[in-house]
């Protein structure tokens, strides 16, 4: 059984850096076709794709947020860490991590399963 | 980057209705679309991948079709448990979501 769980602060001040950890079990992050992605959802709004890292170290970032995001993996600990700098109130959202299965030649993927999500509020 | 445009944003439907949700890609993406169901306060769940492959355990009333730039999610006979918001996704783009409401 594959599970993922997000952890990190629930409240962040504007301009601070957010660090979220995704701890997973049931799979290994060691191949080019399996990865972990981060997706967020502001209250009442749609899903927004943030970042992806695959087992071969390949990383992908949202073009609009690329300058603020870093994703890393710790294979031995079965964890993926997302950092987002210069947080603002508009970044208030539920942040999800999810396993990504990639079809390499097609440049596409899907997310399954997802973690339960963690709500991060940005406020002074 | 490819943008996914989903319609409609809201659909008022009744139990037993046939429901169709459309997702259009800004450029051809062959058959690489996934569909998710999300209920309030819960994480999204994968329903369909590769445009038409039903995830194991998902009821057969759900189906997906399409290729190129136009894709559809169809629920053949809406059940009470299906009232939710549905999203399409291709790589780094999600659609805006379609919320199914009770008519």
């Amino acid at each position: 059984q594959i599970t993922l769980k997000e952890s990190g602060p629930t409240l962040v001040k504007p301009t601070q850096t957010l660090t979220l950890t995704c701890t997973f079990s049931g799979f290994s992050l060691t191949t080019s076709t399996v990865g972990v992605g981060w997706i967020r959802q502001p209250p009442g709004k749609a899903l927004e794709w943030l970042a992806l890292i695959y087992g071969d170290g390949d990383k992908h970032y949202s073009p609009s947020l690329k300058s603020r995001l870093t994703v890393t993996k710790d294979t031995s600990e079965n964890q993926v860490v997302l950092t987002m700098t210069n947080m603002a109130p508009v970044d208030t959202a539920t942040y999800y991590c999810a396993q990504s299965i990639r079809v390499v030649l097609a440049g596409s993927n899907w997310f399954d399963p997802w973690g339960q999500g963690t709500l991060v509020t940005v406020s002074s | 980057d490819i943008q996914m445009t989903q319609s409609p944003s809201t659909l008022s439907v009744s139990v037993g209705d046939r429901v169709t949700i459309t997702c259009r890609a800004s450029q051809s993406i062959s058959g690489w679309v996934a569909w998710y169901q999300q209920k309030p306060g819960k994480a999204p769940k994968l329903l369909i991948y590769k445009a038409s492959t039903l995830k194991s355990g998902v009821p057969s009333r759900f189906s997906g079709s399409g290729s190129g730039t136009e894709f559809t999610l169809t629920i053949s006979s809406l059940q009470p448990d299906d009232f939710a918001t549905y999203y399409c996704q291709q790589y780094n783009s999600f659609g805006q979501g379609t919320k199914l409401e009770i008519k």
Side-chain angles (χ1 to χ4, degrees):
Chain A
Q1 182 190 6
I2 293 172
T3 63
L4 304 97
K5 188 173 184 179
E6 307 86 353
S7 60
T10 57
L11 181 64
V12 174
K13 289 181 167 46
T15 75
Q16 286 186 337
T17 294
L18 171 69
T19 300
L20 293 173
T21 300
C22 177
T23 302
F24 58 87
S25 63
F27 67 97
S28 295
L29 200 53
T30 56
T31 70
S32 63
T33 58
V34 176
V36 171
W38 287 94
I39 305 100
R40 71 178 179 180
Q41 185 172 39
K45 296 189 176 180
L47 301 170
E48 180 182 18
W49 186 95
L50 297 178
L52 256 176
I53 185 166
Y54 285 99
D56 61 355
D58 190 19
K59 302 177 184 180
H60 301 252
Y61 294 103
S62 164
S64 62
L65 294 168
K66 185 175 184 177
S67 63
R68 299 174 53 204
L69 294 173
T70 303
V71 64
T72 60
K73 65 182 177 77
D74 184 335
T75 305
S76 62
E77 294 291 329
N78 281 356
Q79 291 181 331
V80 170
V81 175
L82 178 76
T83 59
M84 181 180 290
T85 61
N86 195 24
M87 294 291 284
V90 296
D91 297 313
T92 293
T94 296
Y95 287 75
Y96 296 99
C97 65
Q99 184 189 55
S100 170
I101 302 299
R102 173 164 65 172
V103 181
V104 177
L105 292 180
S108 192
N109 72 305
W110 56 89
F111 295 106
D112 181 55
W114 296 54
Q116 65 189 24
T118 185
L119 176 62
V120 178
T121 301
V122 184
S123 174
S124 55
Chain B
D1 282 347
I2 297 170
Q3 303 302 317
M4 302 298 283
T5 303
Q6 194 174 334
S7 61
S9 56
T10 307
L11 206 48
S12 295
V13 293
S14 301
V15 172
D17 283 354
R18 181 180 180 86
V19 173
T20 299
I21 299 168
T22 298
C23 209
R24 288 185 174 85
S26 58
Q27 64 189 71
S28 179
I29 55 174
S30 187
W32 304 105
V33 162
W35 291 93
Y36 303 87
Q37 177 193 66
Q38 186 181 33
K39 295 182 178 179
K42 300 294 187 181
K45 291 184 177 180
L46 177 70
L47 297 174
I48 288 168
Y49 59 97
K50 285 194 273 187
S52 60
T53 302
L54 200 65
K55 180 188 170 181
S56 176
V58 173
S60 59
R61 62 181 180 273
F62 291 94
S63 64
S65 64
S67 64
T69 61
E70 187 157 330
F71 300 86
T72 58
L73 171 70
T74 300
I75 308 172
S76 60
S77 178
L78 195 72
Q79 298 302 299
D81 190 50
D82 301 338
F83 286 96
T85 301
Y86 294 84
Y87 293 93
C88 61
Q89 174 247 336
Q90 196 283 333
Y91 177 45
N92 64 353
S93 179
F94 285 94
Q96 300 93 325
T98 296
K99 183 178 181 180
L100 300 187
E101 295 184 335
I102 300 173
K103 185 184 288 185

